Amino acid sequence: MRFGDRAEAGQELAAAVLVRHRAGELRSPYVLALPRGGVPVAAEVARALDAPLDVVVVRKIGAPFNRELGVGALAGEAPPLFDTRALESLGLSADGLGDLVAAERAELRRREQVYRAGRPAPVLGGRTAVLVDDGLATGVTARAAVRAVRAMEPAAVVLAAPVCSREAAGTLRAEADQLVTLYTPWPFHSVGQWYHDFTQVGDDEVIAVLRDAAAARPQ
């Protein structure tokens, strides 16, 4: 199993989410993407649901020797959320990652400024927040995102991704009200392994997708 690209994955994921919406499980859904890779996936979900699209900016805190290996995550101004098991297995401590946390916090604030462009945060009261990423490996960034969205007091939080590791699925089902995923392969390795085209998504693409989604749903 591999997806052609994020748009194809988003279309397949959208079909699964739409089934739940038609069954009455989603109340006035509002789609929130985890940038950058989750944005083109979430755009397809928002289109299928005829729902608004916005972003929840989160930043992975990587191990010092491998920044792709997530040991924690940041969302908003909340304290960092660390994967304590990952830290222990790697012989790391949260106190020793202060410089990395500061760098990721600065990048998070930069992206929020660029992507939001002065827009207020979405109002989620009484609505189902559908949080979308392109894949979930350790799940630590998704956990931080779910908790940030919970603070916005939605009616429920649905976490959706085309592919998810089995380990992360177990953890994330306890965090979100629903986890919607198409595949939980084993072994997992990395999200990019499950895409033929996993080209990095840039800031310009994120901005363009959000602009197009807003234009398609005039207020």
Side-chain angles (χ1 to χ4, degrees):
M1 179 283 303
R2 294 180 79 186
F3 302 105
D5 58 15
R6 290 182 179 87
E8 178 184 302
Q11 290 160 13
E12 293 189 31
L13 183 64
V17 175
L18 188 58
V19 168
R20 289 164 171 78
H21 185 39
R22 288 173 173 166
E25 298 177 19
L26 310 184
R27 179 179 174 185
S28 187
Y30 202 124
V31 178
L32 299 167
L34 275 67
R36 292 183 286 209
V39 172
V41 181
E44 300 295 338
V45 176
R47 186 177 297 114
L49 296 177
D50 190 24
L53 173 66
D54 211 318
V55 293
V56 174
V57 182
V58 292
R59 289 295 296 168
K60 176 170 61 181
I61 302 168
F65 52 86
N66 181 358
R67 299 294 288 274
E68 293 303 310
L69 180 59
V71 296
L74 292 167
E77 295 301 317
L81 173 66
F82 286 104
D83 184 331
T84 54
R85 288 188 300 176
L87 290 178
E88 291 172 2
S89 67
L90 296 171
L92 299 172
S93 70
D95 292 341
L97 299 177
D99 289 345
L100 281 176
V101 170
E104 295 299 349
R105 181 84 73 185
E107 175 61 12
L108 183 151
R109 289 169 176 160
R110 183 197 72 81
R111 291 192 183 192
E112 285 186 332
Q113 183 176 13
V114 170
Y115 301 158
R116 304 211 67 80
R119 295 193 320 276
V123 177
L124 301 179
R127 309 185 71 155
T128 299
V130 183
L131 195 57
V132 180
D133 204 356
D134 56 6
L136 304 168
T138 66
V140 66
T141 52
R143 286 171 58 206
V146 169
R147 294 182 184 190
V149 171
R150 287 262 191 229
M152 301 165 75
E153 300 183 344
V157 180
V158 173
L159 180 60
V163 62
C164 178
S165 72
R166 294 184 186 179
E167 181 179 22
T171 301
L172 294 169
R173 284 192 177 99
E175 291 278 347
D177 296 293
Q178 290 190 50
L179 173 65
V180 182
T181 189
L182 305 176
Y183 301 103
T184 52
W186 179 267
F188 188 85
H189 300 305
S190 68
V191 173
Q193 176 185 358
W194 307 103
Y195 287 81
H196 288 290
D197 179 359
F198 199 63
T199 305
Q200 183 173 346
V201 176
D203 286 346
D204 289 347
E205 182 176 349
V206 171
I207 293 166
V209 170
L210 293 174
R211 182 183 62 239
D212 292 347
R217 303 186 80 257
Q219 300 298 317

